[in-house]
Amino acid sequence: MPDHQPLVSPLASIEAVESGLASQGYIASRQIATAVYLSEQIAKPILVEGPAGVGKTELAKAIAAWRGLKVIRLQCYEGLDEAKALYEWKYAKQLLYTQILKDKLGEVLGGAATLHAALDQLHDFGDVFFSKEFVEPRPLLQALEQPKGCVLLIDEIDKSDAEFESLLLEILSDFQVSIPEFGTVAAKVPPTVILTSNSERNLGDALKRRCLHLHIGFPEQKLEERIVESRVPGISQTLRRQLVSFIHSIRTLDLKKQPSVSETIDWARVLVLLQAAELGHEMVKDTLNVLLKYESDVEAALPHVTTFVANASRQNIFG
Amino acid sequence: MHVSPAESIDAMRAVAKVGFEERGLLRDTLLLTLAKSEDEKKALGACFDLFFSKPEPAQPSDPKQSTDENASASQSQPAQSSGGGQPQNLGPLAQMLLAQDPSEIAAAIANAASAASLSDIRYFTQRGIFQSRLLEQMGIQRLNDDLDELTASNPALAERLTTATDALRETVRDRVAQALLLYGREEAENLRNEILRNAPLARIEPRQVEQMRALIRQMARRLRERFSKPRKRQRRGHLDVRRTLRRNAAWGSVPFLTAWKRKHRDKPKIVALCDVSGSVARVSDFFLLLIHSLHEVVSDVRSFAFSGHLIEVSDILESKSAEEAMHDIMAKVGFGSSDYGSSLADFERQWMASLTPQTTVIVLGDARSNNLDPGADILRRISERSKRVVWLNPEGRLTWGFGDSEMPRYATFCNVVRQCATAQQLERAVTDIVATYH
């Protein structure tokens, strides 16, 4: 119980959320912090949408790390069903136990005088094989059973089937699931639920209305600089500013896949490893493949590199 | 945007937590709770800004007003103090205007606006009537009487009141204009879209082309949402042995629960042949745009364009923006007189193999072959190889078969022939084609 107290208090205000996430190296924009604060205050899941690599999954991990909770992650894919997401009976164990207990059963039932009495006795422990011991909890059930609460991350919900969405509805609105064999399991402590989506398909309205909808886009320049600062500590201020400004120019191009925050961080790490003090266009050309993931994108970006690098270093003088 | 009662309750709870003090925060909160996609967020954000911009137009006009009046006030200050008893017999509106309390005036305008149900404004033609209603509600009648009286008794005060009244009229006008922007936009858009939907595609004006493209994209979204549902359906009657055994392992494989085989429905395969000569070009343009924005619904589209001869244009449409693509296509095959016979022959020679029994062939054209060989026998072979042949003709039924129209001869080999001249007809035709696969 003593460590139960600090779990509630850190969410006193939006500023507290912001600084708490920052302590885990996650620099949140005001919108993100507001969403996290509200989700806790009115007990609603957050549905996070946005391009790949802007820190949707990272947000869940940061919340968990900051509040000292466990992350339970459910990765969605096509064909995911309740047996893999919610619970499954341990068939082998059930079978094994019936075999082992066969003789014992005979003994117990042997005491019964009539068939009717035997049946009554059988009814008394008929549910033994469908009790909690034989349930294999999958992520969703695990999340509800955590004594201290947890962060439940349902990743890439848009990849799952529409039926699976309906399965989630009960959990999302009431934090409980119904298992036909032994009733409803309600959460001991309601978990913080984060759903992420890349908008590959449109989610159902029923799901959307149960969630706070948060869209994380590419961050503004200042924010991205702070993110790089916190994630790549060894980087000099000059390089950081040039790099972020360069990436912002790259994002104005028409690319198949825009470089996102995770690519910015990777690139910053690479440049630090190469011990770059400033952005030079030779170095940029050599390392562009860290930033851009398609050959056609690299080709599209190459002619602009020199201009962008020049702009970036100019930015540094005035900025 | 759809906001259900449950959502408004959630929004209210959230707002209760964060408070009203900070506008940015309030905006974020409402965006989080009410909007459910990025587009909706943008729309709601714009709506929020518009709605809460109310004080803004009042503010800039207020300083102006007050600087005007400061000047006049400094002159008339003694006059007011001397005629201190004067405002007593003025109407409430005149008193309010002379007191120059901007927040009180704003509140009065807001009250009048709700009394006159300003939120019902839909069309710009209603601006005048709402303005006069608002002013009437605020007591302009009494104000005018006061003004008449004052001009006789106290000209200085009357002048101040006149400027204040003008400023009031201006503010009210701004308020009505803003309300029109806020409440009328959607209605105006709906009206415009409705007209556009039923206008003949071939004859729309160049400035409407962009709007029409937007409309077509909207249609595509609607179709996608309707038809991109999972294509699995249980087929009772065929036992899936493997899954049944697996499911019943707990009972020693005594099959208490049965699992049935599932059937995957085919996604439509479409081959589109589009006439891009003369008046049909515009219709083909929109048709191709629609078909190619249906990725989630239609698995495989190949498009061909022809007038004198036929080329494949799928790649151009996939890689370029709608405008550029059409430009390219026209440069390659457009501007010839159409020759259906040789175009169909081109298709048979090179792409006949791409037709499968699941393919729907859509031909879009007026079937006017300039008295050349129509090549109807090729269409027969096409229809034999494919699931369906659908002919969409931008011309009205009455003209089919007259002049050089070969429509009746082609119609023999088509499963469906329909007129397709407006966006609405286009949508119905494509809906029917996709629906046959579901």
Side-chain angles (χ1 to χ4, degrees), chain B residues 97-387:
Chain B
L97 286 177
L98 288 176
Q100 286 178 14
D101 182 355
S103 62
E104 197 180 339
I105 295 177
I109 293 181
N111 284 339
S114 61
S117 50
L118 185 59
S119 53
D120 286 344
I121 190 165
R122 287 296 175 269
Y123 306 106
F124 73 96
T125 43
Q126 293 173 312
R127 270 186 317 205
I129 197 164
F130 271 102
Q131 265 171 51
S132 57
R133 254 194 234 168
L134 235 66
L135 286 171
E136 217 162 276
Q137 204 73 43
M138 293 179 74
I140 192 84
Q141 212 67 45
R142 179 70 205 273
L143 183 66
N144 284 338
D145 292 350
D146 288 345
L147 256 178
D148 288 345
E149 219 169 277
L150 275 181
T151 354
S153 62
N154 189 345
L157 200 58
E159 200 167 310
R160 267 187 60 207
L161 197 55
T162 315
T163 37
T165 312
D166 287 347
L168 176 72
R169 281 183 202 280
E170 212 163 280
T171 318
V172 167
R173 201 181 57 223
D174 288 350
R175 179 80 178 77
V176 171
Q178 182 227 353
L180 177 67
L181 217 56
L182 188 62
Y183 301 109
R185 196 173 40 179
E186 193 187 358
E187 201 66 22
E189 213 160 273
N190 285 349
L191 186 69
R192 202 185 59 203
N193 282 348
E194 196 52 43
I195 294 171
L196 213 52
R197 219 189 295 275
N198 290 308
L201 289 171
R203 278 194 292 281
I204 65 169
E205 291 166 45
R207 66 182 170 81
Q208 288 177 319
V209 169
E210 232 1 87
Q211 291 171 11
M212 189 57 114
R213 289 226 165 90
L215 192 67
I216 299 269
R217 265 178 227 118
Q218 216 177 10
M219 271 178 198
R221 201 171 56 227
R222 213 166 30 233
L223 283 170
R224 275 203 300 264
E225 266 162 27
R226 183 160 155 208
F227 291 110
S228 62
K229 297 264 151 53
R231 260 165 300 278
K232 259 185 294 179
R233 190 190 277 164
Q234 290 209 340
R235 203 165 50 149
R236 295 209 77 111
H238 290 251
L239 192 70
D240 187 333
V241 178
R242 207 171 51 84
R243 284 201 306 132
T244 305
L245 284 178
R246 170 91 186 87
R247 193 182 278 185
N248 293 293
W251 299 278
S253 291
V254 178
F256 288 118
L257 298 175
T258 48
W260 303 97
K261 275 195 176 148
R262 287 173 176 167
K263 189 183 171 189
H264 280 262
R265 272 177 279 175
D266 300 324
K267 277 191 180 179
K269 286 201 175 87
I270 290 177
V271 166
L273 310 177
C274 295
D275 188 349
V276 289
S277 67
S279 61
V280 195
R282 206 20 93 54
V283 186
S284 298
D285 177 0
F286 292 125
F287 172 76
L288 287 173
L289 177 64
L290 180 58
I291 282 285
H292 278 265
S293 21
L294 288 177
H295 288 293
E296 285 96 332
V297 182
V298 182
S299 67
D300 193 8
V301 191
R302 295 188 73 174
S303 334
F304 302 85
F306 66 89
S307 55
H309 62 108
L310 178 136
I311 57 161
E312 172 157 18
V313 294
S314 317
D315 291 344
I316 303 177
L317 286 162
E318 296 290 319
S319 58
K320 297 200 168 138
S321 71
E323 209 142 311
E324 274 178 78
M326 221 43 217
H327 196 264
D328 266 30
I329 294 170
M330 294 307 279
K332 279 191 177 137
V333 285
F335 309 118
S337 61
S338 46
D339 180 346
Y340 279 73
S342 74
S343 299
L344 286 173
D346 281 346
F347 180 79
E348 183 177 31
R349 209 169 31 247
Q350 292 185 52
W351 292 287
M352 199 61 159
S354 65
L355 297 181
T356 67
Q358 286 88 44
T359 313
T360 298
V361 178
I362 305 170
V363 187
L364 194 144
D366 55 4
R368 293 197 178 273
S369 198
N370 299 313
N371 298 320
L372 296 165
D373 174 24
D377 54 322
I378 306 178
L379 192 67
R380 192 197 73 226
R381 287 198 285 278
I382 290 177
S383 91
E384 279 166 4
R385 280 193 67 109
S386 55
K387 180 183 168 93

